Amino acid sequence: MADFYPALIVYRIVAASGVPPERGVQLLDSVGLPAQPQPNTMTTMLSPQVVYPMVEMLLDETDASLPIRYGQLVQPEDFGLLGLAAKTAATLRAGLQRAVRYIYLISDTVTYELRETAGGGADFILHRSVEQRRGEWVLNEAALAAILAVLRQTMTGTIRPARAAFQLDALLPGLDLSDYFGCSVSFIAEHNLLSFSEQMLAQPAALADVGLSGYLESQLESELSQRRGEMSLEAQIREVIANSYSDGIPKMQAVAKRLGMSERTMQRRLGEQGLSYHGLIDDERRSLAQRLLKNTQVPILDIAFLTGFSEQSAFQRAFKRWTDQTPLDFRKAA
C-alpha cells in the first residue's frame, strides 16, 4: 500500500515557507495542486516521492526554521475529527493516546507511540519509514512542531515538554529550536520524540467534555475500522514493521496488540493466507535493504542498523541468503 500525505499539509508547508506567491503557485503546481485549496482537493493524497522533492526545493529557497513556522500555522481543525477529539479529551495524555491510535486517518506516512518512562512520564515517539532525505527530516520536525502547537491550543496552562529529540542532525547549524519547544533539543538521537512529565500529561483540556469526547471517539473508531477493513492484514502488519526498524524487530505480540487482536488470532489469520509473521519480517527487511542500497549512498553499516540488525555481519549473511549477493556486489550491480 502506498504512503500518502494529505494536500492540506502541503498547502500549510508552502504557506509557512514565506516564498513569493507566484513561486508558491509553481511549487503547488509541481505536485498537481491548484493555487488555492478547493473542497475537492483537500482530500487529495500525495506520495512522499512527490512531496519530498518539493519540500527540499523550499529548503533551498528559505531556511531551516520552516518546520517551526509550519507548526505555528497549524490549527486543531486541520486534523478534522481527530482534532475535535483532541480538544475534548480529558487530559494531555488522553489527547496523545488518540493521536497514537487515529493518526492513520490523517496520513499513513507516520505512526506515533506513547512510551511510558520512569516517574510517571512518557515519550511521544514519531516513527517513519526511513528515506534518508532532507524532505523527510523537515517533515519529522514539522510533525512534532504541529503536535505541540495543537496541544498548546487545546490544553489549559503552559504546555512545555521536558525535552525534544530528533534522530538526524540539525538541518541548519546554529538554529535554536529550544525557544519554540520550550525545552532542550537534542539531535542524532535514538528517536524523534517529545518527552512529557507526569504533571504535564495530567494537564486538562480546555474543552474537556465526557459526553462529546465519547461520541467523537466512537466516530473515530468507526472510521478507523472502515479504513483498516480496506487494508489486508498483510498490509497492516507490513506497515507496523516498516515503522519499527530503529527499535529492532517488533515482537509478534506487540504487532498484534497494535492491530487490536491476540497473537494467536494474527498467527491463525496469516496461516490461512499461507503467510507467516517471520516471513513478512524477512521480506520487509530485504525490500528496504535493496531500496537503500540502490537509491542512496548510506553506508552498509548504517543500512544494517536501519533494517533491524545489531551487527553488520548478521546483515551480510541475511542479504546473501536473500539475493545470493553481498550488499556491496548488489550496490555495484545496481
Side-chain angles (χ1 to χ4, degrees):
M1 178 176 160
D3 293 339
F4 60 81
Y5 279 97
L8 180 59
I9 289 180
V10 179
Y11 280 110
R12 285 277 190 259
I13 284 284
V14 173
S17 70
V19 296
E22 60 275 14
R23 178 56 177 154
V25 171
Q26 292 173 351
L27 290 165
L28 291 168
D29 184 64
S30 74
V31 297
L33 292 176
Q36 297 298 325
Q38 304 295 324
N40 64 327
T41 60
M42 297 318 292
T43 56
T44 299
M45 298 298 178
L46 304 173
S47 162
Q49 283 66 43
V50 172
V51 175
Y52 290 160
M54 189 213 73
V55 172
E56 287 158 6
M57 283 191 282
L58 279 176
L59 271 184
D60 292 336
E61 299 174 32
T62 177
D63 62 59
S65 64
L66 176 60
I68 303 307
R69 297 198 300 273
Y70 167 79
Q72 292 168 334
L73 286 181
V74 167
Q75 302 292 318
E77 291 74 17
D78 292 347
F79 297 91
L81 198 61
L82 178 54
L84 291 175
K87 275 186 173 183
T88 60
T91 62
L92 189 149
R93 180 189 289 275
L96 292 177
Q97 287 170 338
R98 288 180 174 182
V100 169
R101 180 157 181 79
Y102 301 116
I103 190 60
Y104 178 73
L105 297 175
I106 308 300
S107 172
D108 74 348
T109 61
V110 64
T111 60
Y112 294 124
E113 174 188 1
L114 194 61
R115 184 178 297 178
E116 301 301 317
T117 58
D123 289 339
F124 182 73
I125 303 173
L126 179 155
H127 298 291
R128 198 191 298 272
S129 299
V130 179
E131 291 287 345
Q132 294 291 319
R133 295 191 60 150
R134 287 192 305 157
E136 180 190 307
W137 306 345
V138 170
L139 291 171
N140 285 345
E141 291 187 0
L144 291 183
I147 288 290
L148 187 56
V150 170
L151 292 175
R152 286 170 170 165
Q153 293 174 66
T154 57
M155 300 292 147
T156 59
T158 301
I159 302 303
R160 189 186 300 274
R163 67 186 179 100
F166 297 96
Q167 286 180 299
L168 298 172
D169 204 354
L171 294 171
L172 183 65
L175 176 67
D176 187 3
L177 298 179
S178 60
D179 284 346
Y180 178 82
F181 286 100
C183 61
S184 63
V185 179
S186 59
F187 296 92
I188 320 182
E190 185 178 0
H191 298 292
N192 303 295
L193 64 80
L194 298 175
S195 185
F196 295 96
S197 67
E198 181 181 22
Q199 180 181 7
M200 195 61 61
L201 290 169
Q203 287 283 95
L207 298 177
D209 183 308
V210 174
L212 181 56
S213 179
Y215 170 74
L216 291 171
E217 187 155 25
S218 69
Q219 295 295 105
L220 286 167
E221 279 296 326
S222 176
E223 190 174 337
L224 183 64
S225 296
Q226 181 179 354
R227 185 73 64 83
R228 288 294 190 191
E230 295 168 359
M231 290 178 67
S232 68
L233 176 62
E234 177 185 354
Q236 293 180 52
I237 293 172
R238 287 182 183 275
E239 179 184 12
V240 175
I241 293 170
N243 287 292
S244 304
Y245 288 119
S246 61
D247 293 328
I249 300 304
K251 301 292 186 183
M252 188 188 306
Q253 183 181 20
V255 174
K257 184 177 180 180
R258 288 279 292 275
L259 298 179
M261 66 183 73
S262 70
E263 181 179 352
R264 180 174 295 181
T265 297
M266 189 175 84
Q267 199 167 22
R268 175 179 56 77
R269 289 179 57 185
L270 284 173
E272 290 170 354
Q273 300 173 41
L275 301 170
S276 73
Y277 179 70
H278 294 296
L280 293 180
I281 288 280
D282 227 28
D283 192 50
E284 280 298 303
R285 295 168 106 181
R286 175 194 54 76
S287 177
L288 176 60
Q290 289 179 318
R291 193 160 67 247
L292 290 171
L293 286 166
K294 281 182 181 179
N295 301 323
T296 74
Q297 297 303 311
V298 178
I300 291 174
L301 177 61
D302 291 347
I303 294 177
F305 167 73
L306 293 170
T307 49
F309 290 91
S310 58
E311 297 180 356
Q312 183 174 345
S313 59
F315 171 65
Q316 298 266 12
R317 289 193 298 272
F319 196 87
K320 180 76 171 178
R321 172 170 56 82
W322 293 331
T323 66
D324 203 31
Q325 289 180 287
T326 67
L328 184 59
D329 288 342
F330 180 88
R331 171 168 273 174
K332 288 178 178 177

